[in-house]
């Protein structure tokens, strides 16, 4: 079963996030996401314990004569335990999704502002010019190399003719 403390925490977070919307500051939102992650871990632990108790009850059912009836009862107890946990997880995940979306929107806006800054625009233009110059230099080197390859037989012939010893 969920503790009253965890139910109260989830209720508080749901209330705060429904009132605040996107107006929260980023550090506050990040802290809230961390707190919600802790609550999620607590719910996961409660879920695991419920699953453990269900597994133990199910294995004990095979010791009885009325196995199916016992399994049905164990499964019903498990569902009674899991359903409130699941409801809280759904609400928690929705709050986390909204907060993460808000954080992502803020980060995207910050990145867009950085990209639009005059320094970044100038840096990108300089990088583009540098890249184009490197492309031209590479093309010139390739053309020079190709010309040298074409002239190689002629140069070899000239070297042979000029260095003959009698």
């Amino acid at each position: 079963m969920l503790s009253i403390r965890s139910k109260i925490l989830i209720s508080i977070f749901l209330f705060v996030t429904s009132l605040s919307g996107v107006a929260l500051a980023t550090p506050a939102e990040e802290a809230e996401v961390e707190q919600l992650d802790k609550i999620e871990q607590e719910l996961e632990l409660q879920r695991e314990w419920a699953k453990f108790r269900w597994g133990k009850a199910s294995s004990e059912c095979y010791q009885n004569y009325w196995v199916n009836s016992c399994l049905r009862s164990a499964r019903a107890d498990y569902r009674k335990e899991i359903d409130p946990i699941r409801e809280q997880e759904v609400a928690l995940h929705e709050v986390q999704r909204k907060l993460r979306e808000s954080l992502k929107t803020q980060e995207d806006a910050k990145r867009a502002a950085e990209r639009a800054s005059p320094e970044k625009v100038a840096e990108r233009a300089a990088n583009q010019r540098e890249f184009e110059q490197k492309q031209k230099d590479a093309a010139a080197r390739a053309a020079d190399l190709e010309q040298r390859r074409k002239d190689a037989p002629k140069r070899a012939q000239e070297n042979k003719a000029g260095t003959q010893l009698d």
Side-chain angles (χ1 to χ4, degrees):
M1 252 354 229
L2 290 175
S3 67
I4 293 177
R5 182 177 153 251
S6 63
K7 288 181 182 179
I8 291 172
L9 283 174
I10 290 175
S11 299
I12 290 171
F13 279 113
L14 289 174
F15 179 71
V16 167
T17 54
S18 66
L19 289 180
S20 64
V22 185
L24 286 176
T26 302
E29 285 179 334
E30 290 174 355
E32 190 171 351
V33 167
E34 290 175 15
Q35 185 64 30
L36 291 174
D37 288 341
K38 289 178 185 175
I39 292 172
E40 183 177 23
Q41 290 173 353
E42 183 179 323
L43 289 173
E44 184 62 31
L45 180 65
Q46 291 174 359
R47 175 183 286 275
E48 289 172 7
W49 274 109
K51 190 173 183 180
F52 171 77
R53 286 189 292 275
W54 175 53
K56 188 174 180 184
S58 295
S59 66
E60 289 173 358
C61 285
Y62 290 103
Q63 304 302 319
N64 296 337
Y65 180 75
W66 304 104
V67 176
N68 287 337
S69 174
C70 182
L71 286 175
R72 233 177 284 124
S73 173
R75 195 173 306 120
D77 291 343
Y78 174 70
R79 291 304 324 164
K80 284 179 189 173
E81 215 173 331
I82 283 295
D83 285 344
I85 295 172
R86 178 69 185 140
E87 289 173 11
Q88 289 184 355
E89 284 177 336
V90 168
L92 179 69
H93 291 159
E94 185 162 336
V95 170
Q96 285 176 326
R97 198 172 18 260
K98 287 179 183 178
L99 282 173
R100 288 190 174 115
E101 181 181 340
S102 172
L103 287 172
K104 184 181 180 306
T105 303
Q106 290 176 6
E107 287 174 17
D108 290 347
K110 190 168 93 174
R111 278 195 209 108
E114 286 176 2
R115 285 187 56 83
S117 73
E119 297 116 17
K120 290 289 183 177
V121 170
E123 183 180 340
R124 281 195 302 279
N127 287 344
Q128 183 67 28
R129 283 191 302 275
E130 186 179 329
F131 173 75
E132 289 170 356
Q133 185 61 43
K134 284 182 181 180
Q135 293 294 319
K136 288 177 186 175
D137 293 345
R141 281 193 306 273
D144 184 46
L145 183 62
E146 187 61 32
Q147 186 61 38
R148 285 177 171 254
R149 284 188 182 143
K150 286 182 183 176
D151 293 343
K154 180 181 170 188
R155 281 195 324 263
Q157 198 65 353
E158 287 174 358
N159 285 341
K160 259 188 183 179
T163 58
Q164 288 181 348
L165 299 172
D166 290 320

